[in-house]
Coordinates of all heavy atoms in Angstrom, one line a residue:
T1 N -54.9 11.3 -72.0 CA -54.6 10.4 -71.0 C -53.5 10.9 -70.1 O -52.5 11.3 -70.7 CB -54.4 8.9 -71.4 OG1 -53.3 9.0 -72.3 CG2 -55.7 8.4 -72.2
G2 N -53.5 10.8 -68.9 CA -52.4 11.2 -68.0 C -51.4 10.1 -67.9 O -51.7 8.9 -67.9
V3 N -50.2 10.5 -67.8 CA -49.0 9.6 -67.7 C -48.9 9.2 -66.2 O -48.8 10.0 -65.4 CB -47.7 10.2 -68.2 CG1 -46.5 9.3 -68.0 CG2 -47.9 10.6 -69.7
Q4 N -48.8 7.9 -65.9 CA -48.9 7.4 -64.6 C -47.4 7.1 -64.0 O -47.3 6.6 -62.9 CB -49.7 6.1 -64.5 CG -51.1 6.3 -64.9 CD -51.8 7.3 -64.0 OE1 -51.7 7.3 -62.8 NE2 -52.7 8.2 -64.6
T5 N -46.4 7.4 -64.8 CA -45.0 7.1 -64.4 C -44.3 8.3 -63.9 O -44.7 9.5 -64.2 CB -44.2 6.5 -65.6 OG1 -44.2 7.4 -66.6 CG2 -44.9 5.2 -66.0
C6 N -43.2 8.1 -63.1 CA -42.4 9.2 -62.6 C -41.2 9.4 -63.4 O -40.5 10.4 -63.3 CB -42.0 8.9 -61.2 SG -43.4 8.8 -60.1
A7 N -40.8 8.5 -64.3 CA -39.6 8.7 -65.1 C -39.6 9.8 -66.0 O -40.7 10.2 -66.6 CB -39.3 7.4 -65.9
L8 N -38.5 10.5 -66.2 CA -38.4 11.6 -67.2 C -38.6 11.0 -68.6 O -38.2 9.9 -68.8 CB -37.0 12.2 -67.1 CG -36.8 12.9 -65.8 CD1 -35.3 13.4 -65.8 CD2 -37.6 14.2 -65.6
P9 N -39.0 11.8 -69.5 CA -39.2 11.3 -70.9 C -37.8 11.1 -71.5 O -36.9 11.8 -71.3 CB -39.9 12.4 -71.6 CG -39.8 13.7 -70.8 CD -39.5 13.2 -69.4
I10 N -37.8 10.1 -72.3 CA -36.5 9.7 -73.1 C -36.8 9.9 -74.5 O -37.9 9.7 -75.0 CB -36.2 8.2 -72.8 CG1 -35.9 7.9 -71.4 CG2 -35.1 7.7 -73.7 CD1 -34.6 8.5 -70.9
S11 N -35.9 10.4 -75.2 CA -36.1 10.6 -76.7 C -35.1 9.7 -77.5 O -34.0 9.4 -77.0 CB -35.9 12.1 -77.0 OG -34.5 12.5 -76.8
A12 N -35.5 9.4 -78.7 CA -34.7 8.7 -79.7 C -34.8 9.4 -81.0 O -35.9 9.8 -81.4 CB -35.1 7.2 -79.8
V13 N -33.7 9.6 -81.6 CA -33.7 10.5 -82.8 C -34.1 9.7 -84.1 O -33.8 8.5 -84.2 CB -32.2 11.0 -83.1 CG1 -32.1 11.6 -84.4 CG2 -31.8 11.9 -82.0
L14 N -34.9 10.3 -84.9 CA -35.3 9.7 -86.2 C -34.3 10.3 -87.2 O -34.5 11.5 -87.7 CB -36.7 10.1 -86.6 CG -37.2 9.7 -88.0 CD1 -37.1 8.2 -88.1 CD2 -38.6 10.3 -88.2
L15 N -33.3 9.5 -87.5 CA -32.2 9.9 -88.4 C -32.4 9.3 -89.8 O -32.6 8.1 -89.9 CB -30.8 9.6 -87.8 CG -29.6 10.0 -88.6 CD1 -29.5 11.5 -88.5 CD2 -28.4 9.4 -88.0
V16 N -32.5 10.2 -90.8 CA -32.8 9.7 -92.1 C -31.5 10.0 -92.9 O -30.8 11.0 -92.8 CB -34.0 10.5 -92.8 CG1 -34.1 10.0 -94.2 CG2 -35.3 10.2 -91.9
E17 N -31.2 9.0 -93.8 CA -30.0 9.1 -94.6 C -30.4 8.8 -96.1 O -31.1 7.9 -96.4 CB -29.0 8.1 -94.2 CG -27.6 8.2 -95.0 CD -26.5 7.3 -94.5 OE1 -26.8 6.6 -93.5 OE2 -25.4 7.4 -95.0
G18 N -29.9 9.7 -97.0 CA -30.3 9.6 -98.4 C -30.4 11.0 -99.0 O -29.9 11.9 -98.5
K19 N -31.1 11.0 -100.1 CA -31.3 12.3 -100.8 C -32.7 12.4 -101.3 O -33.2 11.5 -102.0 CB -30.3 12.5 -102.0 CG -30.4 13.8 -102.7 CD -29.3 14.0 -103.6 CE -29.5 15.4 -104.2 NZ -28.3 15.9 -105.0
S20 N -33.4 13.4 -101.0 CA -34.8 13.6 -101.4 C -35.2 15.0 -101.1 O -34.8 15.6 -100.2 CB -35.7 12.7 -100.6 OG -37.1 12.9 -100.9
A21 N -36.1 15.5 -102.0 CA -36.6 16.8 -101.8 C -38.1 16.7 -101.2 O -38.6 17.8 -100.8 CB -36.8 17.6 -103.2
Q22 N -38.5 15.5 -101.0 CA -39.9 15.4 -100.4 C -40.0 14.1 -99.6 O -40.6 13.1 -100.0 CB -40.9 15.3 -101.6 CG -42.4 15.5 -101.2 CD -42.7 16.8 -100.7 OE1 -42.1 17.8 -101.0 NE2 -43.7 16.9 -99.8
A23 N -39.3 14.0 -98.4 CA -39.4 12.9 -97.6 C -40.8 12.8 -96.9 O -41.4 13.8 -96.7 CB -38.4 13.0 -96.4
S24 N -41.3 11.6 -96.8 CA -42.6 11.3 -96.2 C -42.5 10.2 -95.2 O -41.6 9.4 -95.2 CB -43.7 11.0 -97.2 OG -43.3 9.8 -97.9
F25 N -43.5 10.2 -94.3 CA -43.4 9.3 -93.2 C -44.7 8.4 -93.1 O -45.8 9.0 -93.3 CB -43.3 10.1 -91.9 CG -42.1 11.0 -91.9 CD1 -42.2 12.3 -92.2 CD2 -40.8 10.5 -91.6 CE1 -41.1 13.1 -92.2 CE2 -39.7 11.3 -91.7 CZ -39.9 12.7 -91.9
G26 N -44.7 7.2 -92.7 CA -45.8 6.3 -92.7 C -45.7 5.4 -91.5 O -44.7 5.4 -90.7
N27 N -46.8 4.8 -91.2 CA -46.9 3.9 -90.0 C -46.9 4.6 -88.7 O -46.6 4.0 -87.7 CB -45.8 2.8 -90.1 CG -46.2 1.5 -89.4 OD1 -47.4 1.1 -89.4 ND2 -45.3 0.9 -88.6
L28 N -47.2 5.9 -88.7 CA -47.1 6.7 -87.5 C -48.1 6.2 -86.4 O -47.7 6.2 -85.2 CB -47.4 8.1 -87.8 CG -46.4 8.7 -88.8 CD1 -46.7 10.2 -89.1 CD2 -45.0 8.6 -88.3
R29 N -49.3 5.9 -86.8 CA -50.3 5.4 -85.7 C -49.8 4.1 -85.1 O -49.9 4.0 -83.9 CB -51.7 5.2 -86.4 CG -52.7 4.9 -85.4 CD -54.0 5.0 -85.9 NE -54.3 6.3 -86.3 CZ -55.4 6.8 -86.8 NH1 -56.4 6.0 -87.0 NH2 -55.5 8.1 -87.1
A30 N -49.3 3.2 -85.9 CA -48.9 1.9 -85.3 C -47.6 2.2 -84.4 O -47.4 1.5 -83.5 CB -48.6 0.9 -86.4
A31 N -46.8 3.1 -84.9 CA -45.5 3.4 -84.2 C -45.8 3.9 -82.8 O -45.0 3.6 -81.9 CB -44.7 4.4 -85.0
T32 N -46.8 4.6 -82.6 CA -47.2 5.1 -81.3 C -48.3 4.4 -80.6 O -48.9 4.9 -79.7 CB -47.5 6.6 -81.3 OG1 -48.6 6.8 -82.2 CG2 -46.3 7.4 -81.8
A33 N -48.5 3.1 -81.0 CA -49.5 2.3 -80.4 C -49.2 2.0 -78.9 O -50.1 1.7 -78.1 CB -49.8 1.0 -81.2
V34 N -47.9 2.0 -78.6 CA -47.5 1.7 -77.2 C -47.8 2.9 -76.3 O -47.6 4.0 -76.7 CB -45.9 1.4 -77.1 CG1 -45.5 1.2 -75.7 CG2 -45.6 0.2 -78.0
E35 N -48.4 2.6 -75.1 CA -48.8 3.7 -74.2 C -47.5 4.5 -73.8 O -46.4 4.0 -73.7 CB -49.3 3.0 -72.9 CG -49.9 4.0 -72.0 CD -50.6 3.2 -70.7 OE1 -50.9 2.0 -70.8 OE2 -50.8 4.0 -69.8
D36 N -47.8 5.8 -73.6 CA -46.8 6.7 -73.1 C -45.7 7.1 -74.2 O -44.5 7.2 -73.8 CB -46.2 6.4 -71.8 CG -47.2 6.4 -70.7 OD1 -48.1 7.3 -70.7 OD2 -47.0 5.6 -69.7
T37 N -46.0 7.0 -75.5 CA -45.1 7.4 -76.5 C -45.7 8.4 -77.5 O -46.9 8.5 -77.5 CB -44.7 6.1 -77.4 OG1 -45.9 5.6 -78.0 CG2 -44.1 5.1 -76.6
S38 N -44.9 9.2 -78.1 CA -45.3 10.2 -79.0 C -44.2 10.5 -80.0 O -43.0 10.1 -79.7 CB -45.8 11.5 -78.4 OG -44.8 12.1 -77.7
I39 N -44.5 11.1 -81.1 CA -43.5 11.4 -82.1 C -43.6 13.0 -82.4 O -44.6 13.6 -82.4 CB -43.9 10.8 -83.5 CG1 -43.9 9.3 -83.3 CG2 -42.9 11.2 -84.6 CD1 -44.5 8.5 -84.5
R40 N -42.5 13.6 -82.6 CA -42.3 15.0 -82.9 C -41.5 15.0 -84.3 O -40.3 14.7 -84.3 CB -41.5 15.8 -81.9 CG -42.2 15.8 -80.6 CD -43.5 16.6 -80.6 NE -44.1 16.6 -79.2 CZ -44.9 15.9 -78.7 NH1 -45.4 14.9 -79.4 NH2 -45.4 16.1 -77.5
L41 N -42.3 15.3 -85.4 CA -41.6 15.4 -86.7 C -41.2 16.9 -86.9 O -42.1 17.8 -86.6 CB -42.5 14.9 -87.8 CG -42.9 13.4 -87.7 CD1 -43.9 13.1 -88.8 CD2 -41.6 12.6 -87.8
F42 N -40.1 17.2 -87.4 CA -39.5 18.5 -87.5 C -40.1 19.3 -88.7 O -39.9 20.5 -88.8 CB -38.1 18.6 -87.5 CG -37.4 18.0 -86.3 CD1 -36.2 17.4 -86.4 CD2 -38.1 18.0 -85.0 CE1 -35.6 16.9 -85.2 CE2 -37.5 17.5 -83.9 CZ -36.3 16.9 -84.0
G43 N -40.7 18.6 -89.7 CA -41.3 19.3 -90.9 C -40.3 19.7 -91.9 O -40.5 20.6 -92.6
K44 N -39.1 19.0 -91.9 CA -38.1 19.3 -92.9 C -38.4 18.4 -94.1 O -38.2 17.2 -94.0 CB -36.8 19.0 -92.3 CG -36.4 19.7 -91.0 CD -35.1 19.2 -90.5 CE -34.7 19.9 -89.2 NZ -33.4 19.3 -88.6
P45 N -38.7 18.9 -95.3 CA -39.0 18.0 -96.4 C -37.8 17.5 -97.1 O -37.8 16.5 -97.7 CB -39.8 19.0 -97.3 CG -39.2 20.3 -97.0 CD -39.0 20.3 -95.5
E46 N -36.6 18.2 -97.0 CA -35.4 17.8 -97.7 C -34.4 17.1 -96.9 O -34.2 17.3 -95.7 CB -34.8 19.1 -98.4 CG -35.7 19.8 -99.3 CD -35.0 21.0 -99.9 OE1 -33.8 21.2 -99.7 OE2 -35.7 21.8 -100.5
V47 N -33.8 16.1 -97.6 CA -32.7 15.3 -97.0 C -31.5 15.2 -98.0 O -31.8 14.9 -99.2 CB -33.1 13.9 -96.6 CG1 -32.0 13.1 -96.0 CG2 -34.3 13.9 -95.7
T48 N -30.4 15.5 -97.6 CA -29.2 15.3 -98.4 C -28.1 14.8 -97.4 O -27.6 15.6 -96.6 CB -28.7 16.7 -99.1 OG1 -29.7 17.1 -99.9 CG2 -27.4 16.4 -99.9
G49 N -27.7 13.5 -97.6 CA -26.9 12.9 -96.6 C -27.7 12.4 -95.3 O -28.7 11.8 -95.5
K50 N -27.2 12.8 -94.2 CA -27.9 12.4 -92.9 C -28.6 13.6 -92.4 O -28.0 14.8 -92.3 CB -27.0 11.9 -91.9 CG -26.4 10.5 -92.3 CD -25.5 10.0 -91.2 CE -24.9 8.7 -91.5 NZ -23.9 8.3 -90.5
R51 N -29.8 13.5 -91.9 CA -30.6 14.5 -91.3 C -31.5 14.1 -90.2 O -32.2 13.1 -90.4 CB -31.4 15.3 -92.4 CG -31.9 16.5 -91.9 CD -32.4 17.5 -93.0 NE -32.6 18.8 -92.5 CZ -33.2 19.7 -93.2 NH1 -33.6 19.6 -94.4 NH2 -33.4 20.9 -92.6
R52 N -31.5 14.8 -89.1 CA -32.5 14.5 -88.0 C -33.8 15.0 -88.5 O -34.0 16.2 -88.7 CB -32.1 15.3 -86.7 CG -30.9 14.7 -86.0 CD -30.5 15.5 -84.8 NE -31.7 16.1 -84.1 CZ -32.0 16.0 -82.9 NH1 -31.1 15.4 -82.1 NH2 -33.0 16.5 -82.3
M53 N -34.8 14.2 -88.6 CA -36.1 14.5 -89.1 C -37.2 14.5 -88.0 O -38.3 15.0 -88.3 CB -36.5 13.5 -90.2 CG -35.6 13.5 -91.4 SD -35.5 15.1 -92.3 CE -37.0 15.0 -93.3
G54 N -36.8 14.0 -86.8 CA -37.8 14.0 -85.7 C -37.2 13.3 -84.5 O -36.1 12.8 -84.5
V55 N -38.1 13.2 -83.5 CA -37.7 12.4 -82.4 C -39.0 11.6 -81.9 O -40.1 12.1 -82.1 CB -37.2 13.3 -81.2 CG1 -35.9 13.9 -81.5 CG2 -38.2 14.3 -80.8
A56 N -38.7 10.5 -81.2 CA -39.7 9.7 -80.5 C -39.5 10.0 -79.0 O -38.4 10.0 -78.6 CB -39.6 8.2 -80.9
L57 N -40.6 10.2 -78.4 CA -40.6 10.4 -76.9 C -41.3 9.3 -76.2 O -42.3 8.8 -76.7 CB -41.3 11.7 -76.5 CG -40.7 13.0 -77.2 CD1 -41.6 14.2 -76.9 CD2 -39.3 13.2 -76.8
A58 N -40.8 8.9 -75.1 CA -41.4 7.8 -74.3 C -41.1 7.9 -72.8 O -40.1 8.5 -72.4 CB -40.9 6.4 -74.8
R59 N -42.1 7.4 -72.0 CA -42.0 7.4 -70.6 C -42.1 5.9 -70.2 O -42.8 5.1 -70.9 CB -43.0 8.2 -69.9 CG -42.9 9.7 -70.1 CD -43.9 10.4 -69.3 NE -43.9 11.8 -69.5 CZ -43.3 12.6 -68.6 NH1 -42.7 12.2 -67.6 NH2 -43.3 13.9 -68.9
G60 N -41.4 5.6 -69.1 CA -41.5 4.2 -68.7 C -41.3 4.1 -67.1 O -41.0 5.2 -66.5
E61 N -41.5 2.9 -66.6 CA -41.3 2.7 -65.1 C -39.8 2.9 -64.8 O -39.4 3.3 -63.7 CB -41.8 1.4 -64.7 CG -43.2 1.3 -64.7 CD -44.0 2.1 -63.7 OE1 -43.4 2.4 -62.6 OE2 -45.1 2.6 -64.0
T62 N -38.9 2.6 -65.8 CA -37.5 2.7 -65.6 C -36.9 3.4 -66.8 O -37.6 3.5 -67.9 CB -36.8 1.3 -65.5 OG1 -37.0 0.7 -66.7 CG2 -37.4 0.5 -64.4
I63 N -35.7 3.9 -66.8 CA -35.1 4.5 -67.9 C -34.8 3.6 -69.1 O -35.1 3.9 -70.2 CB -33.7 5.2 -67.5 CG1 -33.9 6.2 -66.5 CG2 -32.9 5.6 -68.7 CD1 -34.6 7.4 -66.9
D64 N -34.5 2.3 -68.7 CA -34.3 1.3 -69.7 C -35.7 1.0 -70.4 O -35.7 0.9 -71.7 CB -33.8 0.0 -69.1 CG -32.4 0.1 -68.7 OD1 -31.6 0.9 -69.2 OD2 -32.0 -0.7 -67.9
E65 N -36.8 0.9 -69.7 CA -38.0 0.7 -70.4 C -38.4 1.9 -71.3 O -38.9 1.6 -72.5 CB -39.2 0.5 -69.3 CG -40.5 0.3 -69.9 CD -41.7 0.3 -68.9 OE1 -41.4 0.5 -67.8 OE2 -42.8 0.1 -69.3
A66 N -38.2 3.1 -70.9 CA -38.6 4.2 -71.7 C -37.6 4.2 -73.0 O -38.1 4.5 -74.1 CB -38.3 5.4 -70.9
T67 N -36.4 3.9 -72.8 CA -35.4 3.9 -74.0 C -35.9 2.9 -74.9 O -35.9 3.1 -76.1 CB -34.0 3.6 -73.4 OG1 -33.6 4.6 -72.5 CG2 -33.1 3.5 -74.6
Q68 N -36.2 1.7 -74.5 CA -36.7 0.6 -75.4 C -38.0 1.1 -76.2 O -38.1 0.8 -77.4 CB -36.9 -0.7 -74.6 CG -35.6 -1.3 -74.2 CD -34.6 -1.6 -75.3 OE1 -34.9 -2.0 -76.4 NE2 -33.4 -1.1 -75.1
K69 N -38.9 1.7 -75.5 CA -40.1 2.2 -76.1 C -39.8 3.2 -77.2 O -40.3 3.1 -78.3 CB -41.0 2.9 -75.1 CG -41.8 1.8 -74.2 CD -42.7 2.7 -73.3 CE -43.5 1.8 -72.4 NZ -44.4 2.7 -71.5
A70 N -38.9 4.2 -76.8 CA -38.6 5.2 -77.8 C -37.9 4.6 -79.0 O -38.2 5.0 -80.2 CB -37.7 6.3 -77.1
L71 N -37.0 3.7 -78.9 CA -36.3 3.1 -80.0 C -37.2 2.3 -80.8 O -37.1 2.2 -82.1 CB -35.1 2.2 -79.5 CG -34.0 3.0 -78.8 CD1 -32.9 2.0 -78.2 CD2 -33.2 3.8 -79.8
A72 N -38.2 1.6 -80.2 CA -39.2 0.9 -81.0 C -40.1 1.8 -81.8 O -40.4 1.4 -83.0 CB -40.1 0.1 -80.0
V73 N -40.4 2.9 -81.3 CA -41.2 3.9 -82.1 C -40.4 4.3 -83.3 O -40.9 4.3 -84.5 CB -41.6 5.1 -81.2 CG1 -42.2 6.2 -82.1 CG2 -42.6 4.7 -80.1
V74 N -39.2 4.7 -83.1 CA -38.3 5.1 -84.3 C -38.2 4.0 -85.3 O -38.3 4.2 -86.6 CB -37.0 5.6 -83.9 CG1 -36.0 5.8 -85.0 CG2 -37.0 6.9 -83.1
A75 N -38.0 2.8 -84.9 CA -37.8 1.6 -85.7 C -39.1 1.4 -86.5 O -39.1 0.8 -87.7 CB -37.4 0.4 -84.9
A76 N -40.3 1.7 -86.0 CA -41.5 1.4 -86.7 C -41.9 2.4 -87.7 O -42.8 2.1 -88.5 CB -42.6 1.2 -85.6
I77 N -41.3 3.6 -87.7 CA -41.7 4.6 -88.7 C -41.1 4.2 -90.0 O -39.9 4.0 -90.2 CB -41.1 6.0 -88.2 CG1 -41.8 6.4 -86.9 CG2 -41.4 7.1 -89.3 CD1 -41.2 7.6 -86.3
D78 N -42.0 4.3 -91.0 CA -41.5 4.1 -92.4 C -41.2 5.4 -93.0 O -42.0 6.4 -93.1 CB -42.7 3.5 -93.2 CG -43.0 2.1 -92.8 OD1 -42.1 1.4 -92.3 OD2 -44.2 1.7 -92.9
V79 N -40.0 5.6 -93.6 CA -39.6 6.8 -94.2 C -39.4 6.6 -95.7 O -38.8 5.6 -96.1 CB -38.2 7.3 -93.6 CG1 -37.8 8.6 -94.4 CG2 -38.3 7.5 -92.2
T80 N -40.0 7.4 -96.5 CA -39.9 7.2 -98.0 C -39.2 8.5 -98.5 O -39.6 9.6 -98.2 CB -41.3 7.2 -98.6 OG1 -42.0 6.0 -98.1 CG2 -41.2 7.0 -100.1
L81 N -38.2 8.2 -99.3 CA -37.4 9.3 -99.8 C -37.7 9.4 -101.3 O -38.1 8.5 -102.0 CB -35.9 9.1 -99.6 CG -35.4 9.0 -98.2 CD1 -33.9 8.8 -98.1 CD2 -35.8 10.3 -97.5

């Protein structure tokens, strides 16, 4: 589907904290149910402390709308360590 907005994409970091040799992610389909959003997971299986594990991307009619969408996507992702 084509994006109908002019705003630049906004990203929100998926920051994971803890320790695990096999992090996994869930609820991804529901996390991106909002139009004009997507997820980029970095494929890093290990976490020790804090680590950027991905980003959520979103577009909106305004920067604020896109930011809220991106933050909502990150908040909806279930991370299991």
